[in-house]
Amino acid sequence: MPTLILVRHGRSTANTSGVLAGRTPGVALDERGAAQAAALPARLAGLPLAEVVTSPLQRCQETVQPLLEARPGLPVHTEERIGECDYGDWSGRKLAELKDEPLMEVVQAHPTAAAFPGGESMRAMQTRAAEAVREWNARVEREHGADAVYLMCSHGDIIKSLVADALGLHLDLFQRISVEPCSVTAIRYTRLRPFLVRLGDTGDFASLAPREEPGEGDAPVGGGAGAP
């Protein structure tokens, strides 16, 4: 079965302003995010990509644009099921204020029980994304062969949930996974089991340096802004 390259969108204006964007329209890449997207074609130059599949949201569409310009004729598809989690009434709110919501503790410690007011549950988010991957795996293999490589551009929580699915990891543990903006994660699917062969690879190690203001240990909902 194919190898899936999962790319989180580049850093967005919502990431840098500390806002949970969700499905809010008009959220673009910031200057750094645009630079991350521009560097993506060179990072992936050694991969014979068969297809590109992207979330419908602007920040993902902008992230893959330089890659598509560098590879004219590369088929691209928009897939609703790998769009951002529907955070409902939380969308557009500051993360700093959301941390005091009682639901945030559930999101962090027991996400299988978390459902966003006016939005979707985290279980539903993972289910739709995993179903999309399985259907695209079959389609890519059918059209390009079992050794094909294809790319999906999606969002932090979606990618983390897909990694958990590939590892057989309970969704309640998926907040232990981190994927930074424009990071590359690779999953090689086989008939019996998937193999996680890259996780959150950005090509630099700046995010591993000690922070001036250490975090509190919670996972950033939506994926966070990455290295400063």
Side-chain angles (χ1 to χ4, degrees), residues 38-52:
L40 196 58
R43 292 172 61 197
L44 300 177
L47 290 177
L49 296 175
E51 308 266 356
V52 169

Side-chain angles (χ1 to χ4, degrees), residues 84-105:
E84 180 64 284
C85 182
D86 185 355
Y87 298 115
D89 298 343
W90 279 27
S91 300
R93 292 179 61 187
K94 288 279 190 180
L95 289 164
E97 69 180 47
L98 288 171
K99 72 178 184 179
D100 295 325
E101 292 277 356
L103 177 60
M104 182 59 85
E105 186 177 13

Side-chain angles (χ1 to χ4, degrees), residues 182-199:
C182 224
S183 62
V184 173
T185 294
I187 302 171
R188 181 170 294 126
Y189 288 87
T190 72
R191 187 173 65 86
L192 296 180
R193 64 180 67 85
F195 293 89
L196 179 66
V197 292
R198 291 288 190 282
L199 176 61

Side-chain angles (χ1 to χ4, degrees), residues 73-157:
L74 179 61
V76 59
H77 313 270
T78 297
E79 172 57 76
E80 297 280 346
R81 291 174 295 175
I82 62 166
E84 180 64 284
C85 182
D86 185 355
Y87 298 115
D89 298 343
W90 279 27
S91 300
R93 292 179 61 187
K94 288 279 190 180
L95 289 164
E97 69 180 47
L98 288 171
K99 72 178 184 179
D100 295 325
E101 292 277 356
L103 177 60
M104 182 59 85
E105 186 177 13
V106 181
V107 169
Q108 293 294 325
H110 189 24
T112 52
F116 296 98
E120 70 178 334
S121 69
M122 302 199 92
R123 295 188 317 278
M125 173 198 75
Q126 183 188 45
T127 297
R128 63 172 165 83
E131 287 178 349
V133 165
R134 281 162 175 75
E135 289 181 18
W136 276 101
N137 282 348
R139 174 174 170 172
V140 169
E141 180 175 5
R142 184 170 61 249
E143 296 180 2
H144 300 281
D147 295 327
V149 180
Y150 75 108
L151 181 147
M152 280 187 169
C153 185
S154 188
H155 307 267
D157 282 347

